Amino acid sequence: MIYVKFYSKSGDRIKYHKSSSIWSGIKFAEPIAKLFIGWIIGNGKMINFWRDTWATSIPL
């Protein structure tokens, strides 16, 4: 779906603005949802920044 929206039929990325039908809903919900978004890493007592896996399957 994203490929169809942002690429031409020849496979080139479009170079002009396309509006989004869902962006207004995201902007409306952002102030409410932002209060409840955060990171939970393990139990929070012992965190190793370099060796714990954060957003990937391998550590930094």
Side-chain angles (χ1 to χ4, degrees):
M1 182 174 152
I2 291 178
Y3 187 85
V4 172
K5 183 171 176 79
F6 296 107
Y7 286 83
S8 68
K9 289 182 181 181
S10 64
D12 298 324
R13 222 168 91 190
I14 63 168
K15 296 179 177 18
Y16 55 88
H17 173 77
K18 274 193 167 182
S19 62
S20 171
S21 59
I22 64 168
W23 185 244
S24 60
I26 293 171
K27 289 192 307 185
F28 173 77
E30 186 264 338
I32 300 164
K34 195 172 188 175
L35 299 172
F36 302 101
I37 296 173
W39 288 81
I40 298 175
I41 305 167
N43 63 7
K45 292 181 181 178
M46 188 172 174
I47 300 169
N48 185 324
F49 180 83
W50 296 108
R51 296 196 175 157
D52 290 345
T53 55
W54 294 70
T56 64
S57 59
I58 60 170
L60 294 173

